[in-house]
Structures are given as structure tokens and as C-alpha cells.
Amino acid sequence: MADKCGMEETGFSMRDSMKIKLIVFITLLLLLCPGCGSKTEPEAGQPNLLLISVDTLRADRLGCYGYKRPTSPTIDRLAEEGVLFENAIATSPQTTPSHMSIITGFYPRAHNVYMWGRDENGTYSGRVLSGEIPTLAEILKGYGYTNVAFTGGANVAGKIGFDRGFEIYDEESNSAAAVEWLRENAEEQFFLFYHTYFTHAPYLPLPPYGSRYDPAYLGKIPSYDELTEELGVVKGELWSGIWQALYNRFWSKVNPADPADRYHLHALYDECIGYVDAVFIKELIDTLRTEGILDRTLIVFTSDHGEEFFEHGRKEHDSIYGEVVRVPLIMRLPGALPGGMRIEQLVRGIDIMPTILELLGIPLDVEIQGTSLLAAATDGKELNLKAHSDYNDFFPPVIDSIRSGPWFLLMDQRTRSGGEPGDGSLPRFFQLFNTDDDPGETRNLAEKYPEVAARLRTELRALRIESSRKHAEEGADQEKAAVDRWNVERLKALGYL
Ligand SMILES: [Zn+2]
């Protein structure tokens, strides 16, 4: 067989031989030119990273997770073109510890960064992430990435450690600024973190969203238009100083005992998701596509926790049942990740960072608690992970849980006698569910399967001990930071202060 030049096929063509000479020449030139091949620059072709966290987004409200309403066409398309994890479990139902797990690979008890709390002087302060624990942004910065974040601040405020490694850490949840940054810096090798509270209560989808899913509602829960009118807020200035009033007014009108009100809350929440998908997420993805960098950007889409609508008697996210800790997790990077792959096994918030690093080809030099999910995503490898989530209004957490396969053990570490766990008396409550047979987690099987409960309780205790040890080794040098005025307003808006 002959090529166009009439030369015999030998495995090398003349063009190949010239290519090799050219590569040798360029290599010699680089060796003779100090600095030309600087190690601080990312490898050519190394993907960008877009990490999106939509706060308070339960997985089962998205089309790609089987929801009946068309809330999420943009996110669904990401799933069709990437890998979707069907059972991703947040480490905490609270924004701060859960997000800190995502960006460090450590469980909350190990990184020990929790929500803002009132200190002995009466001021709100929060523990700052230990300098011994590197963040995702810091690691990527070491490999030449330009890191920028556009977040909602408040419980992901930069000053408690979230801003480490970022050149820009915006706390106004400004998707327009994120889009503008992408347009102006598409040539950069970047990590962009986008976070929004738009699906957090009070659920106020902006018009024309808000009346599609429950147009016949006649109850008292106010719409965006009604609420802004009642409170005399100028539209467009909604997110500037009147937030706490909005939050309180909204919930004061909700009657949880009224099925119509409960139905309407679901509808409003779904509308907020629709808005986020159609506006914020779509604009970000479209910008990547327009700039020609979509397929060389790793997109990771997730949330810090879900939301409860009275399934276990509460509103918002004050428990660790499935509706509150099952979050979406979708990753898209053509060429490195298959399209349309769905992974059923349990995965965790702490696994996101190591998976990202492995996908970007960046080594991890510290021992963390998370595990890379890449082998599961590409080859379906069974990792047999156990997911731990814990919760309390104030640290240290006392409501603890572990998930292993179909089993979910939930317990209050405080004992009925008021003593410490391990003193022999029974915990205040102790529940075991089989989530395959009982996805709503309503039938307590702790007495029926005491051996399963005992095994999981032992594993949970081992996890607690390991996390405490990790904290003692790497997290002990923590400082405290006082909340700033801007974030006080944000926290009031979200119902935290
Ligand atoms: Zn949150």
C-alpha cells in the first residue's frame, strides 16, 4: 500500500519523521531557554473546573432523578452527557460543614468548621478552617489554576476558610458576574465555584415563574409580587436589607396542617429550581459553549443538602433523613467520563474533591477521608462506601447516622440518662431503616434486626473516633472569626439569626 507520495508504508511517513525532528528541536530549545517550560503553568490541555452548588437542592426534585415535573432541563442534559450518582449523601444537613467537606474531603467532625454561633461575648463567630487542611482551590492554585468564586456568602463566608486559594471570592451570589468573568477569561486555566441560595427558603421564584405548578392556590402564602408589595420593597432591590422580614413574613403565612399549603410549598420550591436551571445554570453552561471551552471544562454539579417538607414532621433542613441528605451529584467531562452513566452505589460529599483531582490529573499529597469515585464512574467498580452524616444545632454533633448498602442507622448520641455515649445506657433514640424496601424511611427496624443495628453502631463509633483523631492531627490550630455586617444580613435573610 502506497501513500500519496508513492512511498511504501513502513509505519513512518516523511511527515512523521519531520514531526519528530520538530519535537526534538522544540525540546532542545526549551532546555536551553530557562523558564520557558515553567512548572507553575498547568499542563497543556488540562481541563478547567466549574463546580456548581445549588444550596438546598434535594436530588429527587430533578428530572434526571425521576421527578414528574420538568424542573431541570439544563441539569438533565448534563446528566445525559455525563455521570449521575443516584445515591450521593451530604455529610451534614447544614450549609457550612457540608460545603467544607466538599472542598476538603474531610468529615465535619474532622475539619470542625460549623455554622456561625454566638460566642461567650454574645457576638456571632465561627471557627476558621485549620491551616493544616488544604482546600481544593489551594491545591489547584499550586498547579497554576486561576480560581474564582461567586457565592451567596453567609454560611459559606470567605473568612472562615472558604476563600482560601481564590483570587476572587464574591459573596453576592452573582451569576451575571460569573458569566462576565468567564467571557473575559475563557483563555485562562480556571476553577470557577458558583453557589446560590435561590432554592433556600423563603421560596420566592421570580416572575414569570411562581404560578405554573399551582395556579389555583387560594391560600395565604404570598407570592413574590404580593410579598414585595406588602413590605413596600422596590422590585429588583429585593435582596438588599429586607431579607429577614421576607423570611419571617413568608413562614408566618404557612399552615403546615393544611394540605393546600403544603402542596403550594412544593410548587414554589419546584419553581425556584426551574428558575435556577433556566437562568443561572443555563447561562453558565451556554457561556462555556459559546467560548468553545465546554468540552474541556470538568463540570461538577451538586448541593450541600436537600429540604424537608414535613415528611418527618419538620420544615427546611433540620434532620438527616433522606429528603435532607440525598443530593444531586453529576459530573461531565467528555473523553474522561462516559455519557449517560448512572451509578447506584452510595457516595459522599467528601468524595467530590478527590474525584475532581484525579480527573484533572493532579496528585493529592494529604491523607483525607474521601475516596476518588473515578473507577466507579468509568468502570462501575464497587467501592462499598459507608456514608456518615451528623447534625446538631450547636457543635459537637449529637445526631449521628451511617448508611451502608440499603441500611440507614440513625441515633441520638445523647443517652436517656443524660450521660455520655458509651456509658451503658440507651441512646435517646435509635432507628434503623431499609431504604430499598422503605425509601421514605418511616419503618423503624431496629428491634427486628438488632444484629444489623449493632454492627452499624460499631462502624459509626469507629468513624467518629477516626474523625476526632484526624482533627487532633490536622485541625487543632483553629482560630475564630467574627461574622461581618454583610453576612449578618445574609444570615437573617436565610432564617439563621
Ligand atoms: Zn445549605
Side-chain angles (χ1 to χ4, degrees):
M1 196 178 153
D3 69 10
K4 278 184 186 169
C5 302
M7 293 173 67
E8 288 296 313
E9 185 71 77
T10 59
F12 274 141
S13 67
M14 180 67 85
R15 197 177 292 165
D16 285 330
S17 149
M18 284 179 70
K19 240 191 239 171
I20 289 169
K21 282 179 187 162
L22 194 64
I23 289 167
V24 170
F25 174 74
I26 291 170
T27 308
L28 282 171
L29 201 66
L30 286 172
L31 285 171
L32 293 170
C33 168
C36 291
S38 171
K39 283 280 179 192
T40 57
E41 293 298 314
E43 298 277 326
Q46 215 165 354
N48 303 309
L49 170 62
L50 171 62
L51 172 60
I52 300 172
S53 172
V54 176
D55 208 286
T56 322
L57 179 58
R58 52 190 276 180
D60 63 2
R61 295 313 181 91
L62 304 176
C64 50
Y65 282 86
Y67 197 43
K68 60 189 180 201
R69 285 179 175 149
T71 50
S72 55
T74 312
I75 301 163
D76 297 349
R77 189 169 165 195
L78 280 181
E80 283 163 21
E81 297 169 350
V83 177
L84 177 148
F85 295 89
E86 293 182 350
N87 287 297
I89 305 295
T91 61
S92 167
Q94 294 180 310
T95 307
T96 305
S98 181
H99 274 112
M100 199 52 94
S101 288
I102 291 172
I103 65 160
T104 63
F106 282 98
Y107 276 119
R109 196 179 294 272
H111 64 61
N112 203 34
V113 180
Y114 289 93
M115 307 289 273
W116 299 104
R118 206 184 277 276
D119 63 20
E120 53 281 0
N121 303 319
T123 55
Y124 280 95
S125 65
R127 289 187 185 151
V128 180
L129 180 69
S130 159
E132 297 297 312
I133 297 178
T135 65
L136 175 61
E138 286 177 307
I139 294 170
L140 294 183
K141 189 179 178 183
Y143 283 83
Y145 277 74
T146 300
N147 302 324
V148 294
F150 299 88
T151 77
N155 295 316
V156 290
K159 65 193 301 186
I160 49 175
F162 283 105
D163 64 355
R164 280 188 8 208
F166 286 102
E167 287 184 20
I168 296 171
Y169 196 87
D170 184 304
E171 300 195 347
E172 297 184 47
S173 199
N174 193 335
S175 68
V179 165
E180 192 183 332
W181 189 92
L182 276 177
R183 287 201 184 115
E184 290 175 0
N185 299 278
E187 301 298 313
E188 295 272 348
Q189 192 97 41
F190 65 83
F191 162 31
L192 191 151
F193 173 41
Y194 176 70
H195 161 264
T196 176
Y197 285 112
F198 201 84
T199 48
H200 195 289
Y203 320 115
L204 294 175
L206 302 183
Y209 291 78
S211 54
R212 290 181 306 166
Y213 295 145
D214 191 15
Y217 177 70
L218 295 170
K220 290 182 180 166
I221 300 175
S223 68
Y224 170 90
D225 280 340
E226 288 161 351
L227 203 55
T228 48
E229 199 175 317
E230 272 179 42
L231 294 170
V233 181
V234 179
K235 282 176 198 166
E237 292 180 10
L238 182 62
W239 306 105
S240 59
I242 191 105
W243 301 319
Q244 189 178 26
L246 283 172
Y247 180 91
N248 293 339
R249 186 82 166 190
F250 180 88
W251 281 116
S252 74
K253 302 286 183 182
V254 176
N255 176 10
D258 182 349
D261 273 15
R262 284 158 70 146
Y263 184 86
H264 194 61
L265 284 178
H266 285 281
L268 291 175
Y269 178 68
D270 292 349
E271 291 272 40
C272 288
I273 297 170
Y275 188 91
V276 166
D277 181 277
V279 180
F280 302 153
I281 311 298
K282 187 169 187 303
E283 281 179 358
L284 286 167
I285 307 292
D286 284 352
T287 306
L288 294 179
R289 190 178 286 114
T290 309
E291 296 297 331
I293 54 174
L294 177 62
D295 287 350
R296 56 187 172 89
T297 300
L298 166 60
I299 300 172
V300 177
F301 179 87
T302 192
S303 178
D304 57 339
H305 52 77
E307 189 79 326
E308 179 173 355
F309 292 89
F310 308 104
E311 287 91 335
H312 288 91
R314 291 168 179 242
K315 63 179 173 70
E316 300 189 77
H317 36 277
D318 280 326
S319 87
I320 41 180
Y321 291 103
E323 59 272 13
V324 179
V325 294
R326 283 183 193 277
V327 289
L329 179 60
I330 299 165
M331 299 186 181
R332 178 194 189 276
L333 182 62
L337 289 172
M341 176 79 100
R342 299 177 75 90
I343 308 293
E344 205 181 324
Q345 60 181 295
L346 274 179
V347 302
R348 310 150 311 176
I350 53 172
D351 302 323
I352 293 174
M353 172 178 151
T355 310
I356 287 172
L357 291 177
E358 191 174 5
L359 274 164
L360 299 182
I362 291 174
L364 182 60
D365 298 330
V366 286
E367 191 196 329
I368 58 169
Q369 292 176 294
T371 300
S372 171
L373 305 174
L374 190 54
T378 53
D379 304 324
K381 185 182 173 189
E382 188 60 54
L383 301 173
N384 293 311
L385 300 174
K386 293 168 178 52
H388 171 44
S389 312
D390 59 25
Y391 172 69
N392 190 20
D393 282 328
F394 303 98
F395 37 82
V398 288
I399 313 292
D400 245 341
S401 72
I402 187 165
R403 290 169 186 270
S404 176
W407 295 106
F408 166 42
L409 178 89
L410 174 69
M411 62 184 291
D412 188 332
Q413 291 288 356
R414 292 167 297 187
T415 59
R416 288 180 197 174
S417 63
E420 289 298 309
D423 71 355
S425 61
L426 290 168
R428 285 195 197 175
F429 70 83
F430 190 63
Q431 299 177 334
L432 178 73
F433 303 97
N434 184 315
T435 57
D436 279 353
D437 303 335
D438 176 24
E441 299 166 355
T442 56
R443 294 194 297 276
N444 183 3
L445 303 175
E447 287 185 14
K448 191 172 178 187
Y449 298 103
E451 72 291 348
V452 177
R455 173 172 60 80
L456 290 176
R457 197 174 171 187
T458 304
E459 290 179 8
L460 182 56
R461 178 171 296 184
L463 252 171
R464 288 167 65 95
I465 292 168
E466 186 209 333
S467 292
S468 299
R469 183 178 61 77
K470 288 271 179 206
H471 177 66
E473 284 173 6
E474 311 192 50
D477 68 331
Q478 282 183 284
E479 294 172 357
K480 272 192 170 183
V483 66
D484 53 59
R485 204 183 157 125
W486 160 258
N487 280 313
V488 164
E489 291 302 315
R490 297 294 281 158
L491 289 161
K492 284 180 181 172
L494 297 162
Y496 291 103
L497 299 185

